[in-house]
Amino acid sequence: MSKKEKKQKKVDAWETDVHLDIPEDEIWTYQVPGLAAPHINKPHKYYSLKKIVFILVIIVAVSLSIYFSVMALQNDTFEYTETERGIEFSKFSNTGYLYELDIDYVCDIEYIAGNNDPNTNFKVVKDTSKPITSVRQFTLNCDDKIKTIRIGENVELVDTKAFYSCWALQNIEVDENNPHYCDIDGVLYNKDKTEVLCYPCDHDEYLRQKYGYEKELYKDEVTPEYQRDIQTYVVPSTVVKIDEMCFNYANLRVIYLPEGLKTIETLAIFKLHEKVDQWGTTPSLTDIYTYKSDEVSDTHFTNKKALGEVYKSLPEGLEYIGSDALSYNQSLSYVYIPESVTYVGHHAFWDTVYKDGDTLKGVTEMYVAVDEETFNNEIEVGDDWRPKYDYFLFKKAVDVVYSAERVTE
């Protein structure tokens, strides 16, 4: 027999129909020799046991998943990084129930077994062998729970953006032995008070408690005393620089700056506002004054007489106005740029003008001490440094008054 005939014989064998003679009454129970019997209407062997084991496996898997998820959250509350400077506090994720924070030593969260109250079922444990030496930018970015921050004596560097938009932050306290930083009544400064670094977003709540105002006052309830105690701030005469994001979102109406001030950094006095009711806010900053005294250390405003000579303007001697430095302050109505200024960043006064019907309000003109030629040739300016308002289908910049005289009150 040839190979071709043998191959055809195998194919014919595979194609041969197989017929099983199965009695009709055994059609669902008939067992083919060599194969397992069908389970129609019969339970599988050990079916109940297998079902229980399967359910237990699922329960254990879900429990482990939840456990490790919770542990991951717990372990990520504090994150630190080793740097050349030492240990850097690099990230903080609030448990939701931390309202005070010490930045002095490496910390961890220890949960208390059997306690289901999220307010009390944990404690912060410090490792005093590991002092924190620096705080990274945006470490507490947009935290809405922390009210008080305490900075330890070993901290050498706090990035000025470390506490950006901490909405509930009322005061920052610095260990008196820290050689690099200090606080003045809950506001963060460098040690020699030449730089103001962070005015906490909710510092007005701290001041309300300090001066005996029991609740937050809305705009139509503000008294002269309230504005003096809560919404007016005097920057000490030693300060030469207002750092990035220092006063952003603060509830201040009036700021007094020293004539020795040289730099207003990026976003330094950005979008100051106050509550008008429980549903919204409104721009708050109405006036910026400069005083000439060299002996002012008290940041609490009492009266202009205590500040010596005062004028309405950015300070003579100011050199640098950063990007978005005073933007989104629509209650501000007057800006005078002294001849000492050499740099104005992009959008420095953005959105400080607006239209109320057909009437322009806010900063409707920019007043500049130098003439137009000097301004254009000797002062570096960024894009859209002037405020703009809606003009038909476009945005129109406000006019600049050059060679202007400073307004007198």
Side-chain angles (χ1 to χ4, degrees):
M1 183 181 293
S2 67
K3 289 184 179 181
K4 184 175 180 180
E5 289 174 337
K6 289 181 180 180
K7 184 176 181 180
Q8 184 62 44
K9 187 175 180 180
K10 288 181 179 181
V11 171
D12 293 341
W14 291 341
E15 292 180 347
T16 302
D17 292 336
V18 177
H19 297 281
L20 296 176
D21 186 14
I22 303 174
E24 187 174 341
D25 59 345
E26 297 181 19
I27 191 68
W28 300 111
T29 59
Y30 184 82
Q31 182 174 1
V32 178
L35 300 178
H39 285 273
I40 305 299
N41 295 326
K42 294 181 180 179
H44 286 276
K45 189 175 182 181
Y46 306 123
Y47 171 76
S48 296
L49 178 60
K50 291 179 179 178
K51 184 176 181 181
I52 292 171
V53 170
F54 175 76
I55 292 173
L56 288 174
V57 169
I58 294 296
I59 291 173
V60 170
V62 171
S63 299
L64 287 173
S65 175
I66 293 173
Y67 172 77
F68 285 116
S69 296
V70 171
M71 289 303 294
L73 289 174
Q74 293 175 1
N75 291 335
D76 288 344
T77 299
F78 303 96
E79 291 186 18
Y80 304 94
T81 305
E82 292 282 352
T83 69
E84 293 181 359
R85 189 183 296 273
I87 298 176
E88 179 183 68
F89 187 18
S90 54
K91 186 178 179 182
F92 173 76
S93 300
N94 205 322
T95 64
Y97 298 93
L98 279 171
Y99 303 101
E100 297 184 357
L101 178 65
D102 292 342
I103 302 177
D104 49 6
Y105 298 100
V106 168
C107 295
D108 200 359
I109 296 291
E110 184 177 292
Y111 285 83
I112 302 170
N115 186 340
N116 296 320
D117 183 355
N119 282 288
T120 61
N121 70 347
F122 67 91
K123 61 180 178 179
V124 178
V125 180
K126 297 181 182 181
D127 185 345
T128 55
S129 68
K130 298 178 179 179
I132 297 172
T133 55
S134 61
V135 187
R136 184 185 296 180
Q137 64 177 353
F138 306 122
T139 297
L140 274 77
N141 186 29
C142 294
D143 181 272
D144 63 353
K145 299 294 184 183
I146 293 294
K147 296 181 179 181
T148 298
I149 291 175
R150 288 180 285 268
I151 296 175
E153 65 177 305
N154 297 299
V155 176
E156 301 174 10
L157 177 65
V158 178
D159 190 283
T160 56
K161 300 180 288 297
F163 311 133
Y164 175 67
S165 296
C166 290
W167 307 112
L169 186 59
Q170 297 178 15
N171 61 309
I172 300 171
E173 301 171 3
V174 182
D175 189 298
E176 63 181 11
N177 295 316
N178 187 302
H180 305 282
Y181 296 98
C182 69
D183 73 275
I184 300 178
D185 200 22
V187 177
L188 182 62
Y189 286 78
N190 66 342
K191 191 66 173 182
D192 60 5
K193 300 174 186 174
T194 57
E195 298 181 27
V196 52
L197 287 85
C198 182
Y199 183 99
C201 285
D202 203 26
H203 191 60
D204 50 312
E205 175 59 29
Y206 164 81
L207 294 174
R208 276 191 291 274
Q209 296 175 23
K210 178 177 179 177
Y211 292 109
Y213 298 92
E214 295 183 358
K215 65 183 182 70
E216 181 164 10
L217 298 178
Y218 298 130
K219 191 172 183 179
D220 58 351
E221 299 174 308
V222 169
T223 63
E225 292 76 20
Y226 182 85
Q227 182 171 321
R228 177 198 67 205
D229 293 335
I230 311 301
Q231 297 182 305
T232 302
Y233 193 75
V234 180
V235 176
S237 56
T238 53
V239 171
V240 297
K241 181 180 180 181
I242 300 176
D243 276 292
E244 288 183 89
M245 301 180 178
C246 177
F247 287 100
N248 58 351
Y249 306 116
N251 178 6
L252 289 172
R253 290 195 180 195
V254 182
I255 296 178
Y256 287 88
L257 303 175
E259 193 169 70
L261 185 69
K262 300 296 183 184
T263 301
I264 300 177
E265 271 289 359
T266 298
L267 295 161
I269 309 176
F270 172 85
K271 206 171 187 176
L272 277 60
H273 66 256
E274 63 184 315
K275 279 189 178 181
V276 290
D277 53 35
Q278 57 268 47
W279 296 285
T281 62
T282 187
S284 62
L285 183 64
T286 60
D287 294 292
I288 295 176
Y289 292 95
T290 295
Y291 67 90
K292 299 183 73 169
S293 174
D294 294 330
E295 299 178 354
V296 175
S297 58
D298 187 1
T299 60
H300 178 229
F301 178 76
T302 53
N303 56 65
K304 287 185 179 181
K305 186 177 180 180
L307 300 175
E309 183 180 343
V310 174
Y311 54 87
K312 189 172 184 177
S313 168
L314 294 173
E316 297 289 348
L318 181 68
E319 299 172 356
Y320 183 97
I321 302 173
S323 302
D324 280 297
L326 290 105
S327 55
Y328 293 93
N329 290 306
Q330 291 187 346
S331 291
L332 196 64
S333 60
Y334 177 76
V335 173
Y336 178 85
I337 299 178
E339 62 180 344
S340 55
V341 170
T342 59
Y343 179 88
V344 181
H346 69 80
H347 301 87
F349 301 96
W350 187 256
D351 206 17
T352 55
V353 67
Y354 64 99
K355 291 188 75 173
D356 184 3
D358 294 329
T359 305
L360 275 185
K361 292 187 176 181
V363 180
T364 58
E365 290 181 313
M366 297 292 299
Y367 296 90
V368 176
V370 299
D371 60 70
E372 185 172 4
E373 183 180 356
T374 301
F375 188 86
N376 291 332
N377 294 331
E378 298 183 14
I379 298 178
E380 182 181 352
V381 296
D383 295 337
D384 294 322
W385 70 274
R386 287 183 285 171
K388 291 185 174 181
Y389 59 93
D390 294 329
Y391 186 76
F392 294 104
L393 300 177
F394 306 96
K395 290 280 190 181
K396 183 177 180 179
V398 301
D399 294 332
V400 178
V401 179
Y402 296 101
S403 302
E405 295 289 334
R406 188 174 61 234
V407 70
T408 56
E409 291 188 325

